[in-house]
């Protein structure tokens, strides 16, 4: 089966402005990422601040220009696609932004907000009243909300409006940037359940960007873990949670403490902070923080190694798995 | 022995629609040399609670009733000058956003020296103490780092500096308001671990506010659960997390995705929204969203005892005893 979206060796490069004492250079916010998103499946991209996950998502949505590599959507190249062409594709590839209230214009009613895509795409011949009602019902909001303004709704409801707007044109691929950030625990599940339901009902493919592993666990089919603009591990979600191959994945899993004071914590504490992408470490880029670092890691770049259905970028997956078995 | 004893505290905000009752009859005890967590979602009153302890309140806030007893003395009766003498020496605070807590145009060293203005030490001695504090929170090469500006530090480092500054005067009580929320998960772990060590070393009490149950479970000794301006449950972390006595606590724990081991497409949630704090329901504050709701819930429940040192405001406790 060919993928809906094929990302191949994508680099997103930003120019740095040179200061008085420094010369201008470039940084690779996304540095050679390849991944496939299948039709109707969910792919979670997990990483911490500065890992390049949002930049990658924006490149797919045509909001950043990929400097190198290829992004194929149903076989069509998106890199260097003229904006006029891309606009047509935005019926099929839609993005849901991070800040739910900030992404809604405060001067428009909810009805205008969620039917805006029809106007942009020149489809104003539709019955916008009926469409607004249909979309609100779909995301579980009462139809009366159509007349409200963004300041009259809660953060969780604003998220739903964001979903309604994204799904107005019946897209094939939804890019959701941190769909639960800033939501309380008691309602974050509602958002995830909604996405899961819509995926089942509409056959959507969803690319979820998040820093929270707990979020992707229940609703993604596949996850990719990013560090410094590169994927360090990828695999079927269950597999990655059960048998993480890369120590960074393990650290992320361990950094999500359970709400149980007696939980046996297998603590993988990372040293220091993520290095700057201006000065990428030699060898394995994770070696400066890796608790299982070996001599070879600082000199030799680990290859992208495919194991079963997953893949990782670590020299010694087996060594640290043994160490872990010893300590736990 | 309690460092801080809050009794029956009610705070409201004047709004055009009428008083917004952000905190109602809240009582809690922060024990000496313990870490107490306050957990609750948006609108539960945790920020109002902290700002009334250190009296950094919004101009439209009004204390309706209650006492905030710190080492036996009611802080609400203190003058502004007396409060000022207390802040930073006896009670200090770490705020949520490490990016905005430092003065951007002064070096970290200068700021750390400045806040020791009360001490009669030479500048060199103050600088030495500042370097020691930085070393204590795990900042490498502290001497040299004192000459740098806040923008030269990452978020995690800045939060450590904020903690170092807060602990400089060896306060009896440190209030930490979501100190790790703005940080990445792997850095959160480092900060939490460091806070635990520092608490051991300095012997202060910590009031730790968070919405993250996992962090509370790991760091705290005792926990207070708040909902819509009321304390609904309190006790040791073990009692509250293993045997939650209030339906809200139980539901909140169930919702935490960290709790759910088996993959599910249907995550538990708490349906509904928090009540309007301007026009409050007459009965139990959680009744509208509670799955154990029954007739008794039309009356406001009193704080009941679920076990030794374990309290919850739910009718079910009293009913269980009489049954």
């Amino acid at each position: 089966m060919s993928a809906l979206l094929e990302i191949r060796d994508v680099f997103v490069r930003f120019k740095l402005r040179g200061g008085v004492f420094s010369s201008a250079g470039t940084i690779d916010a996304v540095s050679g990422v390849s991944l496939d998103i299948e039709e109707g499946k969910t792919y979670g991209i997990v990483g911490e601040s500065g890992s390049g996950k949002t930049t990658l998502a924006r490149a797919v949505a045509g909001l950043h220009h990929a400097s190198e590599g290829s992004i194929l959507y149903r076989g069509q190249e998106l890199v260097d696609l003229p904006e006029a062409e891309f606009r047509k594709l935005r019926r099929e590839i839609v993005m849901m932004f991070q800040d739910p209230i900030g992404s809604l214009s405060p001067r428009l009613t909810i009805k205008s907000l969620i039917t805006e895509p029809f106007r942009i795409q020149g489809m104003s011949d539709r019955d916008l009243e009926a469409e607004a009602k249909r979309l609100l019902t779909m995301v579980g909001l009462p139809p009366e909300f159509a007349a409200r303004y963004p300041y009259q709704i809660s953060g969780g409801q604003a998220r739903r409006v964001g979903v309604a707007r994204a799904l107005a044109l019946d897209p094939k691929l939804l890019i959701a940037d941190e769909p639960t950030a800033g939501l309380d625990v008691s309602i974050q599940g509602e958002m995830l359940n909604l996405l899961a339901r819509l995926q089942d009902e509409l056959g959507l493919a969803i690319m979820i960007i998040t820093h929270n592993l707990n979020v992707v666990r229940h609703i993604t089919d596949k996850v990719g873990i990013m560090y410094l603009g590169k994927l360090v591990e990828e695999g079927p979600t269950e597999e990655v949670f059960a048998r993480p191959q890369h120590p960074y994945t393990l650290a992320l899993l361990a950094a999500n403490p359970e709400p149980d004071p007696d939980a046996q914590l297998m603590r993988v504490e990372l040293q220091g902070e993520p290095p700057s992408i201006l000065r990428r470490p030699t060898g394995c880029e994770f070696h400066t923080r890796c608790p299982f670092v070996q001599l070879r890691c600082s000199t030799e770049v680990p290859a992208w190694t495919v194991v079963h259905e997953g893949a990782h970028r670590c020299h010694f997956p087996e060594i640290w798995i043994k160490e872990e078995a010893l300590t736990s | 022995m309690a460092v801080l004893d809050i009794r029956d505290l009610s705070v409201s905000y004047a709004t055009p629609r009428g008083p917004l009752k952000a905190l109602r009859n809240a009582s809690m005890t922060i024990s000496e040399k313990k870490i107490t967590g306050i957990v609750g979602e948006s609108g539960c009153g945790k920020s109002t609670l902290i700002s009334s302890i250190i009296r950094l309140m919004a101009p439209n806030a009004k204390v309706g009733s209650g006492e905030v007893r710190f080492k036996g003395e009611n802080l609400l009766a203190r003058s502004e000058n007396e409060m000022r003498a207390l802040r930073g020496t006896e009670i200090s605070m770490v705020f949520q956003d490490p990016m905005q807590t430092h003065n951007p145009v002064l070096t970290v060293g200068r700021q750390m020296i400045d806040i020791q203005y009360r001490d009669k030490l030479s500048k060199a001695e103050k600088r030495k103490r500042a370097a020691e504090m930085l070393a204590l929170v795990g900042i490498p090469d502290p001497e040299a780092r004192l000459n740098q500006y806040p923008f030269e530090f990452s978020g995690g480092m800045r939060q450590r500096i904020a903690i170092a500054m807060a602990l400089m005067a060896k306060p009896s009580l440190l209030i930490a308001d979501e100190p790790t929320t703005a940080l990445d998960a792997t850095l959160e772990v480092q900060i939490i671990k460091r806070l635990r060590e520092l608490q051991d070393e300095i012997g202060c009490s910590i009031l730790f506010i968070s919405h993250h149950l996992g962090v509370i479970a790991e760091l705290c000794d005792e926990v207070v659960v708040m909902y819509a301006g009321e304390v609904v449950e309190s006790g040791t972390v073990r009692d509250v997390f293993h045997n939650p006595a209030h339906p809200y606590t139980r539901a909140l724990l169930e919702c935490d995705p960290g709790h759910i081991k088996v993959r599910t497409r249907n995550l538990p949630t708490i349906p509904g929204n928090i009540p309007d704090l301007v026009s409050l329901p007459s009965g139990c504050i959680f009744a509208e969203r509670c799955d154990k709701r029954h007739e008794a819930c039309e009356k406001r429940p009193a704080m009941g005892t679920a076990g030794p040192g374990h309290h919850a405001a739910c009718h079910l406790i009293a009913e269980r005893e009489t049954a």
Side-chain angles (χ1 to χ4, degrees):
Chain A
M1 189 172 111
S2 89
L4 182 70
L5 188 77
E6 286 176 45
I7 301 178
R8 288 290 169 273
D9 290 313
V10 162
F11 285 75
V12 180
R13 197 160 287 151
F14 293 111
K15 276 206 186 80
L16 289 175
R17 235 177 301 154
V20 183
F21 300 108
S22 60
S23 58
T26 57
I27 52 163
D28 291 340
V30 175
S31 176
V33 169
S34 302
L35 57 91
D36 286 352
I37 300 180
E38 311 281 340
E39 206 152 330
K41 298 279 184 191
T42 330
Y43 193 108
I45 294 182
V46 186
E48 297 184 290
S49 337
S51 62
K53 54 191 192 303
T54 296
T55 310
L56 177 68
R58 292 178 67 98
V60 173
L63 302 173
H64 280 318
H65 174 74
S67 322
E68 269 180 52
S70 139
I71 303 173
L72 291 179
Y73 172 75
R74 295 184 148 176
Q76 184 183 2
E77 181 60 71
L78 300 186
V79 176
D80 294 325
L81 193 68
E83 178 54 34
E85 293 291 310
F86 216 112
R87 178 164 282 202
K88 286 183 206 150
L89 272 179
R90 292 217 169 93
R91 289 184 193 191
E92 296 184 25
I93 306 175
V94 292
M95 181 142 179
M96 233 173 82
F97 294 95
Q98 209 175 110
D99 178 3
I101 307 256
S103 62
L104 302 177
S105 165
R107 289 165 176 271
L108 297 181
T109 59
I110 303 300
K111 183 199 144 195
S112 323
L113 283 165
I114 58 179
T115 54
E116 202 176 15
F118 294 108
R119 285 194 293 281
I120 293 173
Q121 294 287 349
M123 297 156 79
S124 356
D125 53 324
R126 300 267 189 114
D127 179 355
L128 297 184
E129 204 73 44
E131 291 291 350
K133 202 169 279 179
R134 173 182 71 90
L135 290 166
L136 285 173
T137 314
M138 187 165 78
V139 297
L141 290 175
E144 306 88 84
F145 266 55
R148 295 203 186 178
Y149 285 91
Y151 71 88
Q152 292 171 308
I153 62 178
S154 72
Q157 290 161 344
R159 293 261 170 196
R160 285 170 184 265
V161 170
V163 177
R165 184 161 66 157
L167 299 182
L169 300 174
D170 205 5
K172 290 276 172 282
L173 174 66
L174 170 69
I175 303 167
D177 192 359
E178 298 278 8
T180 60
L183 290 185
D184 279 325
V185 190
S186 66
I187 50 173
Q188 132 183 335
E190 281 180 27
M191 189 67 208
L192 297 175
N193 293 344
L194 174 68
L195 286 177
R197 177 171 65 81
L198 292 173
Q199 184 197 11
D200 292 343
E201 285 173 10
L202 308 173
L204 267 180
I206 311 182
M207 176 175 180
I208 294 179
I209 315 295
T210 180
H211 66 278
N212 187 344
L213 269 175
N214 286 333
V215 165
V216 296
R217 180 168 200 169
H218 299 286
I219 63 162
T220 60
D221 301 295
K222 231 175 166 184
V223 285
I225 315 286
M226 279 184 83
Y227 189 74
L228 296 185
K230 292 192 172 81
L231 279 178
V232 294
E233 178 162 4
E234 183 197 64
T237 307
E238 302 253 16
E239 194 64 26
V240 171
F241 271 81
R243 279 170 292 278
Q245 297 293 308
H246 196 283
Y248 181 61
T249 313
L250 186 71
L252 281 182
L253 284 171
N256 261 313
E258 279 181 63
D260 179 354
D262 292 329
Q264 279 300 315
L265 277 180
M266 200 225 4
R267 249 314 175 224
V268 182
E269 200 193 333
L270 300 186
Q271 348 261 297
E273 314 217 354
S276 157
I277 49 172
L278 285 171
R279 288 176 294 274
R280 287 178 178 275
T282 55
C284 170
E285 291 181 348
F286 185 60
H287 88 262
T288 53
R289 299 179 77 202
C290 184
F292 312 101
V293 63
Q294 309 282 316
L295 207 56
R296 188 176 150 201
C297 301
S298 58
T299 53
E300 212 175 301
V301 179
W304 185 239
T305 314
V306 177
V307 189
H308 305 299
E309 286 173 84
H312 63 82
R313 206 185 289 281
C314 179
H315 282 308
F316 300 103
E318 63 287 344
I319 282 196
W320 69 262
I321 288 169
K322 269 182 216 147
E323 278 192 36
E324 172 206 324
L326 285 177
T327 50
S328 63
Chain B
M1 172 61 188
V3 163
L4 189 72
D5 195 12
I6 297 173
R7 284 290 140 239
D8 209 29
L9 184 67
S10 298
V11 177
S12 60
Y13 295 101
T15 71
R17 294 197 298 132
L20 186 146
K21 300 161 200 96
L23 203 59
R24 296 177 309 282
N25 309 96
S27 297
M28 66 184 74
T29 306
I30 315 297
S31 313
E32 208 168 27
K33 297 193 170 110
K34 287 270 165 71
I35 304 184
T36 304
I38 296 186
V39 65
E41 301 185 290
S42 326
C44 74
K46 45 192 199 290
S47 301
T48 302
L49 180 80
I50 309 164
S51 53
S52 33
I53 296 172
I54 51 171
R55 217 183 310 149
L56 291 176
M57 299 172 87
N60 63 340
K62 187 171 169 284
V63 177
S65 70
E67 288 189 346
V68 176
R69 303 191 79 85
F70 177 70
K71 293 183 169 173
E73 189 202 347
N74 186 9
L75 292 185
L76 295 177
R78 280 195 161 210
S79 72
E80 178 50 39
N81 274 344
E82 287 170 325
M83 274 312 288
R84 198 165 179 178
L86 204 73
R87 290 187 206 120
T89 53
E90 286 279 354
I91 303 179
S92 56
M93 178 135 181
V94 176
F95 293 92
Q96 186 169 348
D97 187 353
M99 298 319 206
Q100 290 172 15
T101 43
H102 305 286
N103 185 332
V105 298
L106 298 178
T107 62
V108 165
R110 171 75 194 279
Q111 295 182 53
M112 292 188 78
I113 291 167
D114 282 354
I115 61 163
Q116 301 178 62
Y117 69 95
R118 294 184 180 95
D119 301 325
K120 294 190 174 45
L121 294 170
S122 73
K123 204 164 171 195
E125 283 170 311
K126 287 181 179 173
R127 193 181 157 88
K128 192 164 155 269
R129 273 198 62 205
E132 282 166 11
M133 284 313 293
L134 284 191
L136 200 63
V137 292
I139 290 192
D141 198 12
E143 244 333 298
R145 297 293 257 177
L146 283 177
N147 296 324
Q148 291 186 315
Y149 289 89
F151 75 88
E152 294 174 89
F153 293 85
S154 64
M157 294 274 217
R158 278 188 233 185
Q159 197 58 300
R160 282 162 199 255
I161 296 171
I163 293 173
M165 289 170 86
L167 292 177
M168 193 96 120
K170 300 222 167 20
S172 318
L173 176 65
L174 174 73
I175 302 175
D177 185 8
E178 307 243 9
T180 56
T181 306
L183 300 177
D184 278 328
T186 54
L187 299 178
E188 182 173 48
V189 175
Q190 296 176 356
I191 297 277
I192 300 272
K193 210 177 146 211
R194 188 65 66 178
L195 267 179
R196 254 244 172 262
E197 289 164 5
L198 289 170
Q199 191 264 341
D200 269 353
E201 216 167 301
I202 294 174
C204 59
S205 306
I206 299 180
L207 183 57
F208 185 90
I209 289 89
S210 181
H211 65 275
H212 192 157
L213 297 165
V215 169
I216 299 263
E218 194 174 347
L219 177 73
C220 300
D221 305 300
E222 279 156 17
V223 63
V224 175
V225 185
M226 292 182 69
Y227 178 75
E230 289 178 16
V231 171
V232 294
E233 184 161 359
S234 65
T236 63
V237 169
R238 195 157 282 125
D239 282 346
V240 172
F241 281 32
H242 283 173
N243 294 308
H246 197 283
Y248 174 65
T249 314
R250 185 173 41 73
L252 197 61
L253 284 165
E254 277 169 12
C255 285
D256 192 310
H259 203 69
I260 306 153
K261 287 281 169 3
V262 188
R263 184 180 154 92
T264 167
R265 297 284 277 183
N266 201 3
L267 291 160
T269 62
I270 307 178
N273 289 307
I274 61 164
D276 181 0
L277 299 181
V278 174
S279 54
L280 289 161
S282 56
C284 168
I285 190 75
F286 186 61
E288 203 192 318
R289 302 173 76 184
C290 185
D291 57 353
K292 296 271 190 293
R293 178 185 180 176
H294 56 296
E295 271 167 47
C297 303
E298 279 163 34
K299 285 216 184 79
R300 204 174 166 218
M303 196 52 108
T305 303
H310 185 187
H311 305 280
C314 180
H315 290 296
L316 289 174
I317 297 173
E319 284 160 21
R320 206 177 303 138
E321 275 164 14
T322 51

